[in-house]
Amino acid sequence: MSGINKKAKKRDIAIIGTGYVGLITGVCFASLGHNIICVDKDKNKIALLNNGQIPIYEPGLDKILKKHRKNILFTTDSKKAIEESGIIFIAVNTPTGKRGEIDMKYFKAAIREIATQIEEYKIIVNKSTVPVGTGEWVQKEIKKYYQGNFSVVSNPEFLREGSALKDFLKPDRIIIGAEDNKSKKIMLEIYSKIEAPLLVVDIKSAELIKYAANAFLATKISFINEIANLCEKINGDVVKVAEGIGLDKRIGPKFLNAGIGYGGSCFPKDVRGLDSIGKEYKYNFNIIKAVMLVNQKQQERFVRKIKKILNKIKGNRIGVWGLSFKPNTDDVRKSPAIAIIKELQKNINYKIQAYDPIAIENAKKEIPFKNIKYSKNAYEAAKNADILILITDWSEFSKINMQRVKKSMRQYYILDGRNQLNPENIKKLGFYYEGIGRK
Ligand code: NAD
Ligand code: UGA
């Protein structure tokens, strides 16, 4: 693979941006036998990695990195990476801008670095989530600085945090947006060891597939959340309703867990991003707007429930289980837990005691230090509390001795924002239990 041209002999693949996606991509490609160079402008990140440490929490990543370390070079030197490799992946962050638009400043900077340093044929593969039309822009931008031959490819990533390695190595599909035979052939080659349906499409379709996939999953979540809200009015059970509709193969059972709405660094950003792509092309996305509104209201509804109970029972001490945006990650970006806690903190009489298996340090950076303390374990967070709220469905919460929890609480109220606990068992112990859309 490294013999793609004269100078790029040393490495098969360079990856610009060694964050969540860049690091997983680099390590997984290394495990498939490719020779990788991972670049990041963040010196601390690269120093950590060169020191054998991993800047993110992702189950299994330490083991696979250790095993294939010899196939990866971590550096801040983008010139070296561009020069030594034939295929350059871009995996930099594309956050939401001030007006809801997709902020492309990091992506554009990365392209400029390539454009000004490229000296011979390269395949530039975009893995960041970027607006439709970006591939075309990349073509034009590079041509301003370099008149030789090169290919642009879109290869969106669908991994989830917490199961990223499995998602990368055993994906549901691989999407390649490529428009010339040379790049198509080489892309198929680098993924040849992964068994998955491989769809080769034009670049714009590949770019849109990424947004459409995330927005569709978010739509499923907002849909089931609205059904849950109706269940609360008719005394139905959304878990049963989800099971009942999910058995229809055309609908499927996944992403139908009602709760307090979706969070994370991706769904909120990409759903908003699709709306802004629509705006750019003068298309009004009615569904997408509704998905965002329902998601926001779902959190507000949960906070209202907490306040209503505390008001009724004259309580003020709130135990919180879970801070990350979902289990198995320490990522708290756009975590519903952070938004809910910040809202509760507005009442200075509330005393919040929060626990998360691994996200506490990241949460501390986001949550103002007032009327909150962090607990060493789930039992400590529940101690003397009037109400316990479960926000993130970490599996350890299913194994907690709820009798012990009850003994230590001041009043016995549980609001389960993820429908994780078994209502029958919990009620038998003498708790007041409310889930989302459950009887
Ligand atoms: P991240 O913030 O974890 O990492 C991005 C990295 O890029 C950072 O380390 C940053 O320092 C580095 N960077 C920025 N500009 C650079 C430059 N010019 N040169 C070198 N390094 C540079 O972001 P992420 O979560 O890995 O997401 C990256 C992209 O992938 C985004 O577009 C995101 O939407 C998409 N994506 C993310 C996930 C996910 O689960 N996190 C999944 C699929 C797709
Ligand atoms: C999501 C997508 O699932 C990935 O395919 C995609 O690559 C990624 O975004 C991205 O583009 O970056 P991720 O954000 O890691 O992955 O997490 P998910 O497992 O999708 O969960 C997102 C949010 O939805 C979480 O807050 C989760 O709690 C919530 N959720 C998920 C529900 O409320 N109900 C469900 O049924 C499923």
Side-chain angles (χ1 to χ4, degrees), residues 157-161 210 214 221 255-257 261-263 266-267 270 325-326 418:
E157 181 50 56
F158 301 98
L159 64 78
R160 288 161 298 174
E161 297 186 12
K210 176 62 199 173
N214 272 2
I221 298 171
F255 275 69
L256 286 178
N257 298 320
Y262 59 79
C266 299
F267 280 0
D270 294 344
F325 82 96
K326 67 172 201 176
R418 297 288 182 183

PDB file of all heavy atoms in Angstrom, residues 157-161 210 214 221 255-257 261-263 266-267 270 325-326 418, ligand 2:
ATOM      1  N   GLU A 157     -17.924   8.428   9.067  1.00  0.00           N
ATOM      2  CA  GLU A 157     -17.724   7.447  10.142  1.00  0.00           C
ATOM      3  C   GLU A 157     -19.010   7.302  10.952  1.00  0.00           C
ATOM      4  O   GLU A 157     -19.668   8.285  11.257  1.00  0.00           O
ATOM      5  CB  GLU A 157     -16.564   7.933  11.031  1.00  0.00           C
ATOM      6  CG  GLU A 157     -16.230   7.005  12.162  1.00  0.00           C
ATOM      7  CD  GLU A 157     -16.054   5.563  11.686  1.00  0.00           C
ATOM      8  OE1 GLU A 157     -15.239   5.303  10.797  1.00  0.00           O
ATOM      9  OE2 GLU A 157     -16.775   4.675  12.212  1.00  0.00           O
ATOM     10  N   PHE A 158     -19.336   6.057  11.320  1.00  0.00           N
ATOM     11  CA  PHE A 158     -20.594   5.798  12.035  1.00  0.00           C
ATOM     12  C   PHE A 158     -20.367   5.191  13.421  1.00  0.00           C
ATOM     13  O   PHE A 158     -21.307   4.682  14.027  1.00  0.00           O
ATOM     14  CB  PHE A 158     -21.490   4.870  11.204  1.00  0.00           C
ATOM     15  CG  PHE A 158     -21.818   5.443   9.847  1.00  0.00           C
ATOM     16  CD1 PHE A 158     -21.106   5.070   8.723  1.00  0.00           C
ATOM     17  CD2 PHE A 158     -22.829   6.397   9.712  1.00  0.00           C
ATOM     18  CE1 PHE A 158     -21.384   5.620   7.475  1.00  0.00           C
ATOM     19  CE2 PHE A 158     -23.118   6.946   8.466  1.00  0.00           C
ATOM     20  CZ  PHE A 158     -22.402   6.563   7.346  1.00  0.00           C
ATOM     21  N   LEU A 159     -19.120   5.230  13.914  1.00  0.00           N
ATOM     22  CA  LEU A 159     -18.871   4.599  15.217  1.00  0.00           C
ATOM     23  C   LEU A 159     -19.597   5.329  16.330  1.00  0.00           C
ATOM     24  O   LEU A 159     -19.896   6.515  16.228  1.00  0.00           O
ATOM     25  CB  LEU A 159     -17.370   4.522  15.505  1.00  0.00           C
ATOM     26  CG  LEU A 159     -16.548   5.809  15.661  1.00  0.00           C
ATOM     27  CD1 LEU A 159     -16.719   6.469  17.010  1.00  0.00           C
ATOM     28  CD2 LEU A 159     -15.085   5.489  15.449  1.00  0.00           C
ATOM     29  N   ARG A 160     -19.901   4.575  17.403  1.00  0.00           N
ATOM     30  CA  ARG A 160     -20.488   5.172  18.604  1.00  0.00           C
ATOM     31  C   ARG A 160     -19.458   5.149  19.711  1.00  0.00           C
ATOM     32  O   ARG A 160     -18.684   4.192  19.816  1.00  0.00           O
ATOM     33  CB  ARG A 160     -21.694   4.345  19.093  1.00  0.00           C
ATOM     34  CG  ARG A 160     -22.915   4.434  18.240  1.00  0.00           C
ATOM     35  CD  ARG A 160     -23.825   3.282  18.539  1.00  0.00           C
ATOM     36  NE  ARG A 160     -23.166   2.013  18.214  1.00  0.00           N
ATOM     37  CZ  ARG A 160     -23.672   0.809  18.482  1.00  0.00           C
ATOM     38  NH1 ARG A 160     -24.829   0.702  19.086  1.00  0.00           N
ATOM     39  NH2 ARG A 160     -23.024  -0.298  18.152  1.00  0.00           N
ATOM     40  N   GLU A 161     -19.451   6.169  20.544  1.00  0.00           N
ATOM     41  CA  GLU A 161     -18.566   6.158  21.692  1.00  0.00           C
ATOM     42  C   GLU A 161     -19.022   5.028  22.612  1.00  0.00           C
ATOM     43  O   GLU A 161     -20.206   4.754  22.734  1.00  0.00           O
ATOM     44  CB  GLU A 161     -18.616   7.516  22.405  1.00  0.00           C
ATOM     45  CG  GLU A 161     -18.111   8.614  21.494  1.00  0.00           C
ATOM     46  CD  GLU A 161     -17.986   9.970  22.165  1.00  0.00           C
ATOM     47  OE1 GLU A 161     -18.080  10.055  23.395  1.00  0.00           O
ATOM     48  OE2 GLU A 161     -17.793  10.948  21.427  1.00  0.00           O
ATOM     49  N   LYS A 210     -24.297  10.610   6.005  1.00  0.00           N
ATOM     50  CA  LYS A 210     -23.886  10.771   7.414  1.00  0.00           C
ATOM     51  C   LYS A 210     -24.921  11.572   8.214  1.00  0.00           C
ATOM     52  O   LYS A 210     -25.370  11.164   9.276  1.00  0.00           O
ATOM     53  CB  LYS A 210     -22.507  11.452   7.453  1.00  0.00           C
ATOM     54  CG  LYS A 210     -22.009  11.774   8.838  1.00  0.00           C
ATOM     55  CD  LYS A 210     -21.815  10.530   9.676  1.00  0.00           C
ATOM     56  CE  LYS A 210     -21.769  10.871  11.141  1.00  0.00           C
ATOM     57  NZ  LYS A 210     -21.734   9.707  12.009  1.00  0.00           N
ATOM     58  N   ASN A 214     -27.672  10.068  11.240  1.00  0.00           N
ATOM     59  CA  ASN A 214     -27.783  10.578  12.614  1.00  0.00           C
ATOM     60  C   ASN A 214     -29.148  11.208  12.859  1.00  0.00           C
ATOM     61  O   ASN A 214     -29.750  11.034  13.923  1.00  0.00           O
ATOM     62  CB  ASN A 214     -26.669  11.601  12.890  1.00  0.00           C
ATOM     63  CG  ASN A 214     -25.406  10.921  13.402  1.00  0.00           C
ATOM     64  OD1 ASN A 214     -25.361   9.695  13.506  1.00  0.00           O
ATOM     65  ND2 ASN A 214     -24.386  11.689  13.706  1.00  0.00           N
ATOM     66  N   ILE A 221     -35.671   8.541  18.366  1.00  0.00           N
ATOM     67  CA  ILE A 221     -35.658   8.815  19.818  1.00  0.00           C
ATOM     68  C   ILE A 221     -36.744   9.838  20.169  1.00  0.00           C
ATOM     69  O   ILE A 221     -37.507   9.647  21.121  1.00  0.00           O
ATOM     70  CB  ILE A 221     -34.258   9.312  20.268  1.00  0.00           C
ATOM     71  CG1 ILE A 221     -33.210   8.225  20.012  1.00  0.00           C
ATOM     72  CG2 ILE A 221     -34.264   9.710  21.738  1.00  0.00           C
ATOM     73  CD1 ILE A 221     -31.773   8.670  20.210  1.00  0.00           C
ATOM     74  N   PHE A 255     -32.898   1.902  19.165  1.00  0.00           N
ATOM     75  CA  PHE A 255     -33.100   3.352  19.292  1.00  0.00           C
ATOM     76  C   PHE A 255     -34.555   3.711  19.560  1.00  0.00           C
ATOM     77  O   PHE A 255     -35.072   4.720  19.075  1.00  0.00           O
ATOM     78  CB  PHE A 255     -32.518   4.101  18.088  1.00  0.00           C
ATOM     79  CG  PHE A 255     -31.054   4.369  18.306  1.00  0.00           C
ATOM     80  CD1 PHE A 255     -30.148   3.320  18.309  1.00  0.00           C
ATOM     81  CD2 PHE A 255     -30.584   5.642  18.573  1.00  0.00           C
ATOM     82  CE1 PHE A 255     -28.808   3.533  18.565  1.00  0.00           C
ATOM     83  CE2 PHE A 255     -29.246   5.862  18.822  1.00  0.00           C
ATOM     84  CZ  PHE A 255     -28.358   4.803  18.812  1.00  0.00           C
ATOM     85  N   LEU A 256     -35.206   2.859  20.327  1.00  0.00           N
ATOM     86  CA  LEU A 256     -36.583   3.134  20.746  1.00  0.00           C
ATOM     87  C   LEU A 256     -36.661   3.162  22.271  1.00  0.00           C
ATOM     88  O   LEU A 256     -37.702   2.839  22.840  1.00  0.00           O
ATOM     89  CB  LEU A 256     -37.528   2.073  20.172  1.00  0.00           C
ATOM     90  CG  LEU A 256     -37.839   2.182  18.677  1.00  0.00           C
ATOM     91  CD1 LEU A 256     -38.752   1.051  18.227  1.00  0.00           C
ATOM     92  CD2 LEU A 256     -38.475   3.535  18.321  1.00  0.00           C
ATOM     93  N   ASN A 257     -35.551   3.506  22.930  1.00  0.00           N
ATOM     94  CA  ASN A 257     -35.585   3.633  24.391  1.00  0.00           C
ATOM     95  C   ASN A 257     -35.983   5.055  24.747  1.00  0.00           C
ATOM     96  O   ASN A 257     -35.233   6.004  24.489  1.00  0.00           O
ATOM     97  CB  ASN A 257     -34.219   3.320  25.005  1.00  0.00           C
ATOM     98  CG  ASN A 257     -33.796   1.898  24.723  1.00  0.00           C
ATOM     99  OD1 ASN A 257     -34.620   0.982  24.768  1.00  0.00           O
ATOM    100  ND2 ASN A 257     -32.533   1.700  24.400  1.00  0.00           N
ATOM    101  N   GLY A 261     -34.073  12.264  26.422  1.00  0.00           N
ATOM    102  CA  GLY A 261     -33.597  12.895  25.187  1.00  0.00           C
ATOM    103  C   GLY A 261     -32.167  12.522  24.866  1.00  0.00           C
ATOM    104  O   GLY A 261     -31.429  12.038  25.714  1.00  0.00           O
ATOM    105  N   TYR A 262     -31.806  12.760  23.622  1.00  0.00           N
ATOM    106  CA  TYR A 262     -30.450  12.434  23.174  1.00  0.00           C
ATOM    107  C   TYR A 262     -29.482  13.560  23.521  1.00  0.00           C
ATOM    108  O   TYR A 262     -29.848  14.722  23.608  1.00  0.00           O
ATOM    109  CB  TYR A 262     -30.424  12.151  21.661  1.00  0.00           C
ATOM    110  CG  TYR A 262     -30.914  13.297  20.793  1.00  0.00           C
ATOM    111  CD1 TYR A 262     -30.105  14.390  20.502  1.00  0.00           C
ATOM    112  CD2 TYR A 262     -32.195  13.288  20.253  1.00  0.00           C
ATOM    113  CE1 TYR A 262     -30.546  15.433  19.704  1.00  0.00           C
ATOM    114  CE2 TYR A 262     -32.648  14.339  19.455  1.00  0.00           C
ATOM    115  CZ  TYR A 262     -31.816  15.404  19.188  1.00  0.00           C
ATOM    116  OH  TYR A 262     -32.251  16.444  18.413  1.00  0.00           O
ATOM    117  N   GLY A 263     -28.220  13.158  23.757  1.00  0.00           N
ATOM    118  CA  GLY A 263     -27.162  14.150  23.997  1.00  0.00           C
ATOM    119  C   GLY A 263     -25.916  13.721  23.263  1.00  0.00           C
ATOM    120  O   GLY A 263     -25.981  12.946  22.308  1.00  0.00           O
ATOM    121  N   CYS A 266     -22.530  14.501  19.063  1.00  0.00           N
ATOM    122  CA  CYS A 266     -22.899  14.276  17.659  1.00  0.00           C
ATOM    123  C   CYS A 266     -24.359  14.558  17.315  1.00  0.00           C
ATOM    124  O   CYS A 266     -24.639  15.403  16.470  1.00  0.00           O
ATOM    125  CB  CYS A 266     -22.520  12.863  17.266  1.00  0.00           C
ATOM    126  SG  CYS A 266     -20.756  12.624  17.440  1.00  0.00           S
ATOM    127  N   PHE A 267     -25.305  13.847  17.955  1.00  0.00           N
ATOM    128  CA  PHE A 267     -26.710  14.032  17.551  1.00  0.00           C
ATOM    129  C   PHE A 267     -27.146  15.503  17.628  1.00  0.00           C
ATOM    130  O   PHE A 267     -27.664  16.031  16.639  1.00  0.00           O
ATOM    131  CB  PHE A 267     -27.641  13.153  18.391  1.00  0.00           C
ATOM    132  CG  PHE A 267     -27.700  11.707  17.957  1.00  0.00           C
ATOM    133  CD1 PHE A 267     -26.963  11.261  16.880  1.00  0.00           C
ATOM    134  CD2 PHE A 267     -28.507  10.802  18.616  1.00  0.00           C
ATOM    135  CE1 PHE A 267     -26.997   9.939  16.471  1.00  0.00           C
ATOM    136  CE2 PHE A 267     -28.567   9.478  18.218  1.00  0.00           C
ATOM    137  CZ  PHE A 267     -27.808   9.042  17.153  1.00  0.00           C
ATOM    138  N   ASP A 270     -25.352  17.349  14.785  1.00  0.00           N
ATOM    139  CA  ASP A 270     -25.628  16.940  13.405  1.00  0.00           C
ATOM    140  C   ASP A 270     -27.090  17.149  13.011  1.00  0.00           C
ATOM    141  O   ASP A 270     -27.387  17.426  11.839  1.00  0.00           O
ATOM    142  CB  ASP A 270     -25.188  15.485  13.186  1.00  0.00           C
ATOM    143  CG  ASP A 270     -23.673  15.340  13.295  1.00  0.00           C
ATOM    144  OD1 ASP A 270     -22.978  16.374  13.230  1.00  0.00           O
ATOM    145  OD2 ASP A 270     -23.180  14.215  13.465  1.00  0.00           O
ATOM    146  N   PHE A 325     -23.010  11.464  28.783  1.00  0.00           N
ATOM    147  CA  PHE A 325     -24.201  11.573  27.909  1.00  0.00           C
ATOM    148  C   PHE A 325     -24.827  10.224  27.613  1.00  0.00           C
ATOM    149  O   PHE A 325     -25.957  10.126  27.163  1.00  0.00           O
ATOM    150  CB  PHE A 325     -23.878  12.343  26.626  1.00  0.00           C
ATOM    151  CG  PHE A 325     -23.229  11.539  25.536  1.00  0.00           C
ATOM    152  CD1 PHE A 325     -23.980  10.981  24.509  1.00  0.00           C
ATOM    153  CD2 PHE A 325     -21.853  11.347  25.507  1.00  0.00           C
ATOM    154  CE1 PHE A 325     -23.387  10.244  23.484  1.00  0.00           C
ATOM    155  CE2 PHE A 325     -21.252  10.609  24.500  1.00  0.00           C
ATOM    156  CZ  PHE A 325     -22.019  10.055  23.490  1.00  0.00           C
ATOM    157  N   LYS A 326     -24.055   9.153  27.887  1.00  0.00           N
ATOM    158  CA  LYS A 326     -24.564   7.778  27.779  1.00  0.00           C
ATOM    159  C   LYS A 326     -23.560   6.885  28.509  1.00  0.00           C
ATOM    160  O   LYS A 326     -22.466   7.350  28.854  1.00  0.00           O
ATOM    161  CB  LYS A 326     -24.733   7.374  26.315  1.00  0.00           C
ATOM    162  CG  LYS A 326     -23.432   7.248  25.552  1.00  0.00           C
ATOM    163  CD  LYS A 326     -23.701   6.673  24.192  1.00  0.00           C
ATOM    164  CE  LYS A 326     -22.446   6.072  23.620  1.00  0.00           C
ATOM    165  NZ  LYS A 326     -22.661   5.418  22.354  1.00  0.00           N
ATOM    166  N   ARG A 418     -34.188   6.888  32.446  1.00  0.00           N
ATOM    167  CA  ARG A 418     -33.806   5.968  31.356  1.00  0.00           C
ATOM    168  C   ARG A 418     -34.584   4.656  31.401  1.00  0.00           C
ATOM    169  O   ARG A 418     -34.204   3.697  30.727  1.00  0.00           O
ATOM    170  CB  ARG A 418     -32.303   5.645  31.450  1.00  0.00           C
ATOM    171  CG  ARG A 418     -31.413   6.844  31.271  1.00  0.00           C
ATOM    172  CD  ARG A 418     -31.406   7.326  29.845  1.00  0.00           C
ATOM    173  NE  ARG A 418     -30.505   8.465  29.668  1.00  0.00           N
ATOM    174  CZ  ARG A 418     -30.372   9.091  28.532  1.00  0.00           C
ATOM    175  NH1 ARG A 418     -31.050   8.734  27.479  1.00  0.00           N
ATOM    176  NH2 ARG A 418     -29.562  10.118  28.444  1.00  0.00           N
TER     177      ARG A 418
HETATM  178  C1  UGA B   2     -24.017   8.522  17.455  1.00  0.00           C
HETATM  179  C2  UGA B   2     -24.401   7.486  16.389  1.00  0.00           C
HETATM  180  O1  UGA B   2     -25.069   6.387  17.006  1.00  0.00           O
HETATM  181  C3  UGA B   2     -23.174   6.983  15.629  1.00  0.00           C
HETATM  182  O2  UGA B   2     -23.553   6.088  14.600  1.00  0.00           O
HETATM  183  C4  UGA B   2     -22.463   8.189  15.007  1.00  0.00           C
HETATM  184  O3  UGA B   2     -21.257   7.804  14.362  1.00  0.00           O
HETATM  185  C5  UGA B   2     -22.119   9.202  16.101  1.00  0.00           C
HETATM  186  O4  UGA B   2     -23.327   9.585  16.809  1.00  0.00           O
HETATM  187  C6  UGA B   2     -21.508  10.434  15.479  1.00  0.00           C
HETATM  188  O5  UGA B   2     -21.874  10.831  14.404  1.00  0.00           O
HETATM  189  O6  UGA B   2     -20.631  10.999  16.088  1.00  0.00           O
HETATM  190  P1  UGA B   2     -23.013   8.413  19.931  1.00  0.00           P
HETATM  191  O7  UGA B   2     -23.274   9.870  19.982  1.00  0.00           O
HETATM  192  O8  UGA B   2     -21.692   7.899  20.384  1.00  0.00           O
HETATM  193  O9  UGA B   2     -23.197   7.867  18.411  1.00  0.00           O
HETATM  194  O10 UGA B   2     -24.090   7.694  20.836  1.00  0.00           O
HETATM  195  P2  UGA B   2     -25.502   6.954  20.651  1.00  0.00           P
HETATM  196  O11 UGA B   2     -25.385   5.592  21.199  1.00  0.00           O
HETATM  197  O12 UGA B   2     -26.036   7.083  19.295  1.00  0.00           O
HETATM  198  O13 UGA B   2     -26.417   7.803  21.661  1.00  0.00           O
HETATM  199  C7  UGA B   2     -26.672   9.190  21.448  1.00  0.00           C
HETATM  200  C8  UGA B   2     -27.661   9.703  22.478  1.00  0.00           C
HETATM  201  O14 UGA B   2     -28.964   9.156  22.261  1.00  0.00           O
HETATM  202  C9  UGA B   2     -27.298   9.349  23.924  1.00  0.00           C
HETATM  203  O15 UGA B   2     -27.551  10.465  24.749  1.00  0.00           O
HETATM  204  C10 UGA B   2     -28.245   8.211  24.266  1.00  0.00           C
HETATM  205  O16 UGA B   2     -28.533   8.126  25.631  1.00  0.00           O
HETATM  206  C11 UGA B   2     -29.482   8.615  23.463  1.00  0.00           C
HETATM  207  N1  UGA B   2     -30.373   7.465  23.138  1.00  0.00           N
HETATM  208  C12 UGA B   2     -29.916   6.463  22.339  1.00  0.00           C
HETATM  209  C13 UGA B   2     -31.692   7.454  23.607  1.00  0.00           C
HETATM  210  O17 UGA B   2     -32.127   8.383  24.320  1.00  0.00           O
HETATM  211  N2  UGA B   2     -32.504   6.399  23.275  1.00  0.00           N
HETATM  212  C14 UGA B   2     -32.078   5.376  22.486  1.00  0.00           C
HETATM  213  O18 UGA B   2     -32.874   4.459  22.214  1.00  0.00           O
HETATM  214  C15 UGA B   2     -30.762   5.410  22.010  1.00  0.00           C
END
